[in-house]
Amino acid sequence: MSTFDLSKISVRELNQHLHQLSEVNDIDILEPRGAHAVACGLTAPLNVSIRGPVGYYCAGMNERATVTVHGNAGTGVAENMMSGEVRVLGNASQSAGATAHGGLLVIQGDASARCGISLKGASIVVGGSVGHMSAFMAQAGTLVICGDAGDALGDSIYEARIYLRGQVASLGADCIEKEMRPEHLAELTQLLTTAGIHADPTIFRRYGSGRSLYHFHSDQASAY
Amino acid sequence: MENRSQPLSSGLRESATFNRHVIHEIQRAAQTGIYDIRGWGAKRSLPHFDDLVFLGASMSRYPLEGYREKCETGVILGNRFASKPLHLDIPVTIAGMSFGSLSGSAKEALGRGASEVGTSTTTGDGGMTDEERAHSKMLVYQYLPSRYGMNPHDLRRADAIEIVLGQGAKPGGGGMLLGQKISDRVAGMRTLPAGIDQRSACRHPDWTGPDDLEIKIQELREITDWEKPIYIKVGASRTFYDVTLAVKSGADVVVLDGMQGGTGATQDVFIEHVGIPTLPALRQAVEALSELGMHRKVQLIVSGGIRNGADVAKALAMGADAVSIGTAALIALGCNSPQYDAEYQKLGSAAGFYDDYQDGKDPAGITTQDPELAARLDPVEGGHRLANYLRVLTMEAQTIARACGKSHVHNLEPEDLAALTIESAAMAGVPIAGTDWIPGKRGGF
Ligand SMILES: Cc1cc2nc3c(=O)[nH]c(=O)nc-3n(C[C@H](O)[C@H](O)[C@H](O)COP(=O)(O)O)c2cc1C
């Protein structure tokens, strides 16, 4: 176990050190105090615990590492993650998991606006609610919301899947409710289990693309 | 205007307001119910570098010997914060054009041509291909709102990172790639179903405004260990403020694209009516950099209608560090070649007019994903043609610089320029030839 205290070293020194590691390692980061870009660009299977709140882009572009934030996370936590796992024990700000390609992001509390925006294949499980414009233009991957969703959920969504337990304030353009088939129930059950979040999968609803905006048609002008 | 089918002697009079092009567009809109989408840049006449001339040396200035005395052309990009800035041999770079809008062979040819003369090329909205990485000595990796194919591996193997806020052809607009160009490979790289009309986002998904952008840049620098120069590309509109904010956000290099700048596919109404020309935008950018004391410290790359060495020299004289070319590079590869005129005609166009880049049927094999058409472009030959053209641009710029007595093209300055029209004088901020009058300066009128 290595410990780094961000009240004593800079984020640059921390990240430089983490980037040089190539093997399994347990890392403890103290006193993050809302610093930005903490533990971003990791490539090794590290086990990183951050003891406190982080600023923007924590664990950005993560590959293979497991990063746990023992606090709240600022904008863009795990943005563009490729693989590995990022877990926020508190709440997350805007654009959590934006454009993430792979891996698992778990937010135990609430996530703000644009959660899973432009998602490209990762799985996101939110224990609480998400803000407006979540899964905007989401292309692939899965967003599980155990609480409620804000306005314009899944606006202009492509092939990503949304599972929602609570209420949705409004659906975005071309986002529709879809049938929950056995394979979806299995996927959701699996995700909730992996995320360690206790919720009854059978009461979730599924949303996805109506695929009506996939081609330009002038008679759909009002939707564009 | 001369009517080809109706000579002036017939007495028929064409409306200046409703000319044939306008009438045709109304008829087309009425028939199809959809706006016109096309490639290329603004086609209307705009104040441009042609409206400026150089004041060559004579009595009060010494020229350099044309074929003997050295006139340097090297450019360093990104030495503000990056530990590995780019060293270009010539002040001309290849602009970002996506794999998707361009064929794989075209991307390879661009890389080969640029590398042959020691300059950089740029990816585009659609990610980095192995072919272009392999054939580009210096490759700039675009970081766009869509983030298609964005990944840390490509970020690390790039030589610089270009955060795209906009393009001159469409400031405020996102990308567009129509279904006919979305092959399985293009779709896979973008994580999208094949064959659908695809519009990329116009806003970045995880930051809004310059304060956030500063933090985003910090993240990109952290991921790449502060090695790579970070460029910010803006389309020309409120350029003075955009450049000021780009510098404040921590850019190493600002890329400025004027409204003449080319595009792979955009609405015609957008191309022709949004943004300002390259000339005034360039002046504003240099003013912003100078006011911050950052001119030549944060480098400025300018694009949008660069065609020849005179344009290069004029852009540098106005204060740019380098220029960037898109449309001209495609023409050098073979776009609009008379060789394919018969095929252009079949598509309802002609050599010299072809702008249907969105269509994917390019007979020259450049703006297409059709494997048979793409195979028509030999990337080695295309690369040589581009290298030749880049050499000519450089030699022409050197010719002008020597005539003005400069031992480096960067020593060209606004004082070497005169304007031919009131508009260009006001926009470029140089006096009308034979006067010391710059509209709007020294007295306010
Ligand atoms: C076919 C084509 C595709 C383009 N794709 C992109 C792109 O993906 N990203 C981008 O920032 N600019 C793109 N551009 C704009 C160019 O990067 C550049 O700004 C412009 O072409 C410069 O003007 P010029 O064509 O007059 O030289 C594209 C331009 C063309 C012609």
Side-chain angles (χ1 to χ4, degrees), chain B residues 326-379:
Chain B
T327 307
L330 302 186
I331 295 171
L333 294 187
C335 176
N336 272 291
S337 164
Q339 175 188 355
Y340 297 113
D341 192 45
E343 291 184 60
Y344 287 128
Q345 305 259 2
K346 273 192 223 145
L347 298 170
S349 187
F353 296 84
Y354 183 70
D355 60 13
D356 286 325
Y357 295 172
Q358 81 291 347
D359 224 14
K361 297 186 186 132
D362 182 2
I366 296 167
T367 56
T368 182
Q369 290 303 317
D370 178 327
E372 276 175 33
L373 291 174
R376 291 182 180 185
L377 176 70
D378 178 337

Side-chain angles (χ1 to χ4, degrees), chain B residues 392-419:
Chain B
V392 171
L393 288 184
T394 308
M395 287 189 293
E396 286 180 342
Q398 283 172 304
T399 301
I400 289 172
R402 286 199 187 95
C404 294
K406 315 292 183 183
S407 59
H408 194 296
V409 288
H410 281 170
N411 296 342
L412 287 164
E413 53 195 323
E415 198 269 334
D416 294 317
L417 292 168

Side-chain angles (χ1 to χ4, degrees), chain A residues 96-118:
Chain A
T99 76
H101 290 253
L104 173 69
L105 168 64
V106 181
I107 296 158
Q108 295 196 351
D110 297 325
S112 182
R114 290 177 271 275
C115 180
I117 184 171
S118 292

